[in-house]
Amino acid sequence: MTTEARDRDPAAAPRPRSAVRISIVALAFCLAAFALTFSFGSIAGEELAGMGSAALFPRLVLGVMAVLALLMAFGIGSPPMELPPPVHRMSVVVGLAMIAFMGAIALVGMWASCVVFLVVVGRMWGERSWVRLTVSAILMCGALYALFVTFLHGVFPVGMIGALLQ
Amino acid sequence: MDAFISGLAILADPTMLFLILSGTVLGIVVGALPGISGSTTTALLLPLTLSMTPAGALAFLGSIYCAANFGGSITAILINSPGDPSASATAFDGYPMAKRGEAGKALGISAIASAIGGIVGVVVLVLIAPVLADMAYEFGPPEYFALSLFGLSMVAAIGGDSPVKNLFAACTGVLLATIGTDLTTGVERFTFGIYALTDGIEFIPVLIGLFAMAELFEQAAQSGQVQTFLKMDAVKLPTMADFRKCAKSIGISSVIGTFIGALPALGATTAALICYNETKRWSKHKEEFGKGAIEGIAGPEAANNAAVGGAMVPTLALGIPGSTSTAIILAGLIIQGVRPGPHLFKEQPTLLYVVLASMLAANLLYLVLGLGAAKLFARIAMIRGGYLWPAVFILSVVGAYAPNQSLIDVWIMLVFGVVGFLFRRHGFSPAPLVMGLVLGKMVEETLKQSLLIFDQSWAMFLTRPIVVTLFAVTVLGLMAPLLARLWRRWTGNGVHHTS
């Protein structure tokens, strides 16, 4: 049934439950992590010393997690819930903007990237005034610079262009 | 008592007073911002404590923790959007009161009830924590293992309505705590050859990612919505008649809130919701609740601030967080090289009482600020999302980067932001993951120490009475919802319905 048809008829069948899907993902995670524990090194005699191997505790925890994942599949201790709606476009856009921000740091450094991010994402969020966004971005970054660099003597990336200019 | 007086004396230090004042103001301001909870506030501001002394960091974080709960009530009352989950119950009656033009009175009683509840919580903390710490001297590694398991089992009650999902999240946190070099064997675990991970995952980027970033992604989905703000006239203090009406609810809620806060993992939100129901039950004006009953604000506000003091009891005395925010504070203490527990009371009692004195001072400060500057703080809630949320991101990036000056930490923050967002979408609460991360090392260390003591015999755990008691309480706690369902079914069979 399409979303539109469901919206027209509220009494239509509900979306499929997400419990099994979540359980499968959780179990896959546990299996993958368990497999990784075989890549841990070991030291001679650790078992004899009574400490247990380095992998013992993570495997114990993963075992418990696997049991909990199975309980989720059967809906035990976890009320059924519908599949969540698709991720909102704006959430994806903001996520991509964050990744672009990380790339921009390598190019123009932290502070310039911060100002650009504040202006661009603020605009995407619905703010109309470029001037107000830019002024508030510069003020905020200036305050953070004063606190973390001037006062706390932090060192932040300057990027390739910043390094060339220095 | 001498140590407590020494702790109070430190308040005469201008630096400490400045830290308490700034922590209180920041706690109210950030706590008032919709979507930024007290725990997110604490996580966001944690990087600032790195340059402070342990006493200063504790005073700062303690003040934030106290004030953020009150700050959350501002937006709960004015725009029906609690700034902190613990203020959810406040919105039930606070917003209706504001809609009929009594926002000032609502904020006034909120400030007074919060301060009274907070002071009761701190007094109980002063009296009970040393006693608990003395008892904890009887604890060895097996007892601490059992206690940390009990603490983790209680996370089943935090957030959401799925105990199994909460436990899964907690175990994920414990698993994350194993990343890095195993201290007993020197073996690297889950580092994938990345040098930055050999010391394990830093708390700060995880906390900021799980709370602030995840909330940012959610708020982005609401970026097109327009918030409506109610006008707030000058703050009117509640009258004596209002105070008499609320006195019983404040008293009961302060006591219950402190007790609930002291139970590991429950925290202020649970305290506020339970006390809302209790306040309604004991009220002579039950019909007013949900429509703007002043007691409906006083009760939960007293409870959520009393729970702050209560939650610090197991945190400081045993090193087991009493709530999500105290888990973050505990992380902050560990970063400072201070491990809370019974030793803290014996070796650094003044440090401890500095915390208590600063929490007491913060409660008094936000009472004054809340009554005098509520209108100003209310304006904070009106910051538009397009300015607020990108700013939260920048603050988060700087906060995640600053401690180790590493972009890897920023990437970790982003990854956990996505994790936190996905968690929320699928009914998992991030708070249990934080609890697991903070307690994980302790669980593993005490387990290994215990097995060493017991010569690898797991059955020897059952020879320790305190361990057996804690295991029994843990199992009972986990089985409680099932037992409650069976009980309801059994008693429901005996009910006769009359027409």
Side-chain angles (χ1 to χ4, degrees), chain A residues 68-151:
Chain A
L68 291 169
L70 284 171
L71 290 177
M72 277 190 261
F74 290 105
I76 298 170
S78 131
M81 59 180 284
E82 291 186 353
L83 280 174
V87 176
H88 195 278
R89 187 185 66 90
M90 188 60 185
S91 302
V92 176
V93 167
V94 167
L96 291 173
M98 291 176 183
I99 295 173
F101 168 83
M102 295 300 288
I105 289 179
L107 197 60
V108 297
M110 175 74 85
W111 301 111
S113 304
C114 287
V115 172
V116 170
F117 183 91
L118 285 167
V119 174
V120 170
V121 175
R123 180 82 180 158
M124 286 194 296
W125 212 282
E127 299 304 319
R128 290 279 157 257
S129 170
W130 286 104
V131 173
R132 210 177 289 170
L133 280 169
T134 308
V135 168
S136 63
I138 292 172
L139 283 174
M140 182 186 175
C141 293
L144 288 173
Y145 184 92
L147 176 62
F148 283 95
V149 178
T150 310
F151 186 61

Side-chain angles (χ1 to χ4, degrees), chain A residues 22 26 29 33 36-37 40-43 46 49-51 54 57-58 60-62 64-65 68 72 76-79 81 84-88 90-91 94-95 98 101-102 105 110 114 117-118 121-122 125 127 132-133 136 140 144 147-148 152 154-157, chain B residues 48 51 161-165 167-168 171-172 174-175 178 182 184-185 187-190 192 213 216-217 219-221 223 384-387 389-391 393-395 397-398 401-402 405 407 410-411 414 421 425-428 440 443-444 447-448 451-452 456 458:
Chain A
I22 291 172
F29 171 78
L36 279 173
T37 63
F40 296 168
S42 61
I43 60 169
E46 63 185 5
M51 290 182 289
F57 185 73
L60 271 173
V61 175
L62 286 165
V64 172
M65 289 170 73
L68 291 169
M72 277 190 261
I76 298 170
S78 131
M81 59 180 284
V87 176
H88 195 278
M90 188 60 185
S91 302
V94 167
M98 291 176 183
F101 168 83
M102 295 300 288
I105 289 179
M110 175 74 85
C114 287
F117 183 91
L118 285 167
V121 175
W125 212 282
E127 299 304 319
R132 210 177 289 170
L133 280 169
S136 63
M140 182 186 175
L144 288 173
L147 176 62
F148 283 95
L152 297 174
V155 177
F156 288 79
Chain B
L48 292 178
S51 59
D161 50 3
S162 173
V164 169
K165 285 182 177 176
L167 288 170
F168 186 90
C171 289
T172 306
V174 174
L175 189 69
T178 64
D182 177 27
T184 48
T185 60
V187 169
E188 288 187 6
R189 299 184 294 193
F190 300 119
F192 305 103
M213 290 295 98
L216 199 161
F217 286 127
Q219 291 289 334
S223 55
R384 296 160 65 89
Y387 291 94
W389 290 103
F393 173 72
I394 298 304
L395 197 60
V397 166
V398 173
Y401 176 85
Q405 306 195 355
L407 283 173
V410 180
W411 280 111
L414 291 176
F421 179 60
R425 280 171 57 80
H426 295 96
F428 291 82
V443 173
E444 183 177 8
L447 175 63
K448 284 187 171 174
L451 289 175
L452 210 54
Q456 298 296 298
W458 290 77

Side-chain angles (χ1 to χ4, degrees), chain B residues 164-219:
Chain B
V164 169
K165 285 182 177 176
N166 286 342
L167 288 170
F168 186 90
C171 289
T172 306
V174 174
L175 189 69
L176 287 171
T178 64
I179 294 175
T181 307
D182 177 27
L183 287 177
T184 48
T185 60
V187 169
E188 288 187 6
R189 299 184 294 193
F190 300 119
T191 57
F192 305 103
I194 301 173
Y195 178 73
L197 291 180
T198 52
D199 284 335
I201 282 202
E202 294 287 337
F203 288 139
I204 289 176
V206 173
L207 298 174
I208 296 176
L210 282 176
F211 292 99
M213 290 295 98
E215 185 62 39
L216 199 161
F217 286 127
E218 280 202 12
Q219 291 289 334

